[in-house]
Amino acid sequence: ELDIEMAKDDDGSVNGYYDELSMGSHVLRLWAEDTSGRANSAEVIVDILPQPAPPAVVITSPADDSTVMEGTTVVFQATTLDETTPPTALGVEWTSSIDEVLSTAGPDDTGDVLFTLSELSVGTHEIILTVTDGDGMTNSERVPITVTELSDTASEG
């Protein structure tokens, strides 16, 4: 039984406010009895959902502060998870501070994101993975990676 102060309108409708239901599914039932003793009830099912949260994202490759030679194939890998949006419906964008958008390929049905690239420009990149869920909430993770020039002696060998 909930302690709700109810207000009755002239047309017989009632209004009340209660904000302490826990997360989960609840059956709310209203009982009414008229002055002659006749009673009736009505019920409704209310689902209290968790507050929306941004998706989780973790870059697993490349490693933080990696250094690779120009032309090396770099594996980009991450895991994503969202409470309400299925993994395959998440929006994914990998960007580089130097080369801009690298990939928009989405995760598989387990939330794993994977692609490879060997055309990164020489320099220190800030790689940013941004994931967007169905509620429009975003989360990002960043990892720096340095691409060094092939030396003349390495290319002559």
Side-chain angles (χ1 to χ4, degrees):
E1 193 169 306
L2 302 176
D3 184 21
I4 302 173
E5 190 169 320
M6 303 293 277
K8 185 178 85 168
D9 292 338
D10 290 339
D11 65 359
S13 62
V14 292
N15 295 301
Y17 179 79
Y18 190 79
D19 64 355
E20 296 179 31
L21 290 176
S22 59
M23 194 169 41
S25 189
H26 301 270
V27 177
L28 301 180
R29 183 174 294 123
L30 176 66
W31 293 91
E33 185 176 327
D34 67 14
T35 56
S36 67
R38 290 182 298 206
N40 204 346
S41 68
E43 67 183 35
V44 64
I45 297 173
V46 176
D47 291 318
I48 306 298
L49 303 174
Q51 289 288 343
V57 56
V58 176
I59 296 175
T60 54
S61 179
D64 229 3
D65 292 317
S66 297
T67 300
V68 298
M69 296 292 283
E70 181 180 17
T72 300
T73 299
V74 178
V75 175
F76 293 86
Q77 187 170 14
T79 58
T80 61
L81 177 68
D82 189 72
E83 294 175 340
T84 57
T85 305
T88 56
L90 294 171
V92 172
E93 183 176 72
W94 293 85
T95 59
S96 157
S97 56
I98 297 173
D99 292 331
E100 299 181 1
V101 177
L102 303 176
S103 175
T104 57
D108 64 18
D109 59 356
T110 65
D112 291 331
V113 183
L114 174 70
F115 78 98
T116 60
L117 190 65
S118 59
E119 296 88 26
L120 286 172
S121 299
V122 171
T124 299
H125 298 254
E126 180 177 38
I127 303 298
I128 303 168
L129 171 57
T130 302
V131 178
T132 305
D133 67 14
D135 299 319
M137 300 184 86
T138 63
N139 197 4
S140 298
E141 181 154 290
R142 302 164 187 267
V143 61
I145 179 174
T146 301
V147 177
T148 59
E149 259 185 82
L150 287 173
S151 66
D152 290 334
T153 56
S155 61
E156 291 173 6

